[in-house]
Amino acid sequence: MQDQFPKPHVAKALLPHAFDLRDGAHDEAHLLRVWRNVERIASEEGGDIEILLAATLLHDCIWIDKGSSQRHMASRLAAAKARDVLTGMAWSDDRINQVCHAIEAHSFSACVTPASLEAKILQDADRLDAIGFIGVARCFYIAGLRKASICDAVDPAANDRPLDEDLFALDHFQTKLMKLERGFQTMTGARLAADRSAHVKSFYNGLLAELS
């Protein structure tokens, strides 16, 4: 796995710390997809590759269920764990701080504004994996894990009821997936997001058409 990343010696050292728990939407395949997004964005925007690599590999190192009231703390807890890991590897305080900020700011639920280029790139790269066809697959996978339904049987578009993404996977499209395109931090990320968001909207509209 480490050979899929630049600086494979760094990847080899960090991958054992990448997860405390994992699921099929947050696993090694997710890390690799996010890293490929990072590379695509950084190739146009710049950024420190070692900082980006460490932040990518450790951004989900603490797992908290999306239904937990502590979900918004996941990225801060991940940053704290990353700090311990990188301190043990004798990284400098400045570079550790850069990695930790990128990890804290990547999360949608944490509401931390990314202040560095690396933090902006990681946030964009992670959000790209939440939209497009892969985002649709991850949405329904997580809904299945939580035993949610695909959609409300009578009102799938929530025209006459409150949205409830805990009960219905399709509601998550309105509460989050179709809104993510608006918040991208880099020009490259925004361009890539526009294409993927179109796929999400097309799937959503197509599914509703089948249900009508």
Side-chain angles (χ1 to χ4, degrees):
M1 179 71 175
Q2 63 263 21
D3 294 336
Q4 299 297 314
F5 302 95
K7 300 182 180 293
H9 63 290
V10 175
K12 183 178 180 180
L14 294 180
L15 278 168
H17 305 283
F19 302 100
D20 56 351
L21 297 171
R22 56 168 61 74
D23 60 46
H26 304 87
D27 57 7
E28 288 82 0
H30 169 65
L31 290 185
L32 188 55
R33 291 193 304 269
V34 172
W35 176 250
R36 288 170 177 163
N37 292 337
V38 165
E39 286 190 309
R40 292 180 71 183
I41 298 169
S43 69
E44 298 186 36
E45 305 283 344
D48 185 306
I49 291 299
E50 188 174 53
I51 298 295
L52 287 166
L53 177 61
T56 299
L57 293 178
L58 297 176
H59 79 279
D60 279 337
C61 66
I62 296 293
W63 187 93
I64 297 179
D65 185 86
K66 288 188 179 294
S68 169
S69 61
Q70 297 301 306
R71 176 62 188 172
H72 67 287
M73 292 296 298
S75 67
R76 291 179 173 88
L77 294 172
K81 178 179 174 180
R83 183 176 299 279
D84 290 342
V85 170
L86 296 175
T87 297
M89 294 173 60
W91 280 44
S92 70
D93 288 344
D94 176 64
R95 294 182 73 72
I96 291 173
N97 289 339
Q98 292 181 61
V99 171
C100 290
H101 171 63
I103 292 173
E104 287 183 359
H106 91 273
S107 170
F108 182 84
S109 57
C111 298
V112 175
T113 302
S116 67
L117 176 59
E118 289 76 17
K120 293 175 181 179
I121 290 173
L122 179 62
Q123 186 184 99
D124 281 4
D126 188 62
R127 291 186 181 187
L128 282 171
D129 204 52
I131 55 178
F133 295 123
I134 188 64
V136 170
R138 292 177 75 207
C139 172
F140 285 103
Y141 172 86
I142 292 170
L145 280 184
R146 299 177 65 190
K147 302 188 183 306
S149 298
I150 293 173
C151 61
D152 181 83
V154 176
D155 187 7
N159 292 318
D160 298 305
R161 63 173 177 84
L163 291 166
D164 190 340
E165 63 182 357
D166 292 328
L167 289 179
F168 307 116
L170 200 59
D171 285 14
H172 189 60
F173 283 67
Q174 290 196 61
T175 60
K176 182 178 179 182
L177 297 189
M178 294 192 295
K179 295 179 178 179
L180 281 177
E181 180 188 357
R182 307 171 196 167
F184 277 72
Q185 300 290 326
T186 67
M187 291 182 64
T188 306
R191 186 183 73 246
L192 296 171
D195 289 338
R196 294 198 183 195
S197 187
H199 296 321
V200 171
K201 293 170 184 174
S202 177
F203 178 90
Y204 179 80
N205 291 330
L207 185 55
L208 285 181
E210 290 187 3
L211 295 171
S212 63

